[in-house]
Amino acid sequence: MKATILASTFAAGALAQNGAWGQCGGDGWSGATSCISGYACNYVNDWYSQCQPGTAAPTTTAAATTLVTSTKTAPPATTTTATASGKFKWFGVNEAGGEFGDGIFPGRWGTEFTFPDTNTIQTLRTQGYNIFRVGFAMERLVPNTLTSSFDNGYLTNLTQVVNSVTNSGAYIVLDPHNYGRYYGKIITDTDAFKTFWQNVAAKFASNSKVIFDTNNEYNTMDQTLVLNLNQAAIDGIRAAGATSQYIFVEGNQWTGAWSWNVTNTNLAALTDPENKIVYEMHQYLDSDSSGTSTACVSSEIGVQRIVGATAWLRANGKKGVLGEFAGGANSVCKAAVTGLLEHLKANTDVWEGALWWAAGPWWGDYMYNFEPPSGTGYTYYNSLLKTYTP
């Protein structure tokens, strides 16, 4: 998820100007319609405009900074094509911990970082969840350089989780939770990135239940670089002989679904000889899509923020997965989450599934905690979410 790097930017949300990446317009929007210096209010779709770096882009409707007062509503969740099955391929949960202790490398298992509890994962398995996205830190798996040898202890712990999940019949997503960075610096060496992925894929090439996620939430990076890093990862994975696995590719600007169709259009050019690319997007329902608040903008915001991504996937003949989503434990968010999932379910010709953010043994009282048996997100949302399992 988008980490606390943006938290201070949004602290003054009630002021006359919106912060970076905040909502600034759209049907029914009653908040501020201007942005802080260096950002402009750009149209994303009829229901959502956002403060993005630079100057405002031309819109295809009324100016995004104008308060819209029409009675238009979001497209109904049942809008779909004849090929949509209404059933997800995957539905599950993110499992955090291996990436904790940011900036403390290598760190100590049990102190700076941990790994998911396979017993609680099995609890979720018994309820139908069939995919788990497990975060790890590249700096711990391959210390010093992207082409270094593996840290055997860290790899062993990660592999034990992989084997536990996949032996149960579920899928596991290997998620280098690095935001397109290595030791805090943007990754620019595509050859080294390819080698990293070739080495990782070689360890799991025989396990078809493993899914490779190229990197978590590329952001504030050159758009062509994001394209090239994703392609390098694909090429490295296939060069390792890992040909049966799906590959989740992520986009720039935190891989946000809300702005995908205006930010990540060049990623349609990615190629895979096995034709197993799935476009992973993330979507939160608070005012800036950051996932840092229990409040959701409205009961319809889930659908409103995803419709543009759905249209992009269909227009380009691509498949997508919502790799992170969540909402606060309240009725407005629950309605928004339900609307979001119903839209995805009605459009399963392009959407393969979704994963809640997040479970993990160290979340404590975190607002979205989905760790059984007592996590806030788990106790409030499990009865709803498990109805969407395959």
Side-chain angles (χ1 to χ4, degrees), residues 55 57 126-127 171 174 176 186-187 189 219 236 253 295-296 305 308-309 320-322 332 344 368 376 388:
T55 57
T126 63
Q127 298 180 70
Y171 287 83
L174 295 183
I186 291 174
I187 300 168
D189 188 340
N219 67 87
Q253 304 314 94
C296 294
R305 286 187 177 167
V321 65
L322 201 60
V332 174
L344 297 181
Y368 302 147
T376 299
Y388 291 94

Side-chain angles (χ1 to χ4, degrees), residues 349-368:
D349 59 310
V350 293
W351 288 106
E352 299 275 33
L355 294 92
W356 179 270
W357 177 270
W362 281 5
W363 280 123
D365 61 359
Y366 174 56
M367 60 186 171
Y368 302 147

Side-chain angles (χ1 to χ4, degrees), residues 285-307:
L285 310 177
D286 46 355
S287 63
D288 49 34
S289 293
S290 65
T292 56
S293 171
T294 60
C296 294
V297 171
S298 73
S299 61
E300 296 181 333
I301 194 63
V303 177
Q304 292 170 358
R305 286 187 177 167
I306 206 79
V307 290

Side-chain angles (χ1 to χ4, degrees), residues 197-273:
W197 269 116
Q198 185 169 348
N199 292 341
V200 172
K203 293 293 183 181
F204 303 100
S206 63
N207 191 338
S208 63
K209 295 289 189 180
V210 171
I211 297 171
F212 303 110
D213 179 346
T214 66
N215 221 260
N216 179 69
E217 295 188 350
Y218 302 97
N219 67 87
T220 55
M221 296 168 62
D222 177 78
Q223 191 63 36
T224 300
L225 175 61
V226 173
L227 170 70
N228 292 340
L229 287 170
N230 274 296
Q231 189 63 60
I234 295 167
D235 294 345
I237 290 164
R238 299 311 184 207
T243 57
S244 63
Q245 292 87 353
Y246 289 93
I247 299 174
F248 286 4
V249 299
E250 297 201 32
N252 209 0
Q253 304 314 94
W254 294 275
T255 205
W258 73 93
S259 60
W260 186 279
N261 60 335
V262 295
T263 302
N264 290 301
T265 56
N266 68 328
L267 299 190
L270 291 169
T271 60
D272 173 26

Side-chain angles (χ1 to χ4, degrees), residues 10 90 312 338 358:
F10 306 120
W90 300 302
W312 183 90
T338 302

Side-chain angles (χ1 to χ4, degrees), residues 57 66 68 137 177 190 207 211 308 357 369:
T66 301
V68 182
H177 215 77
T190 55
N207 191 338
I211 297 171
W357 177 270
N369 181 4

Side-chain angles (χ1 to χ4, degrees), residues 96-98 109 113-118 134-136 153-155 157-158 161 361:
W109 181 28
F113 67 91
T114 188
F115 281 91
D117 184 337
T118 55
V134 175
F136 67 89
Y154 195 80
L155 176 63
N157 288 330
L158 181 61
V161 177

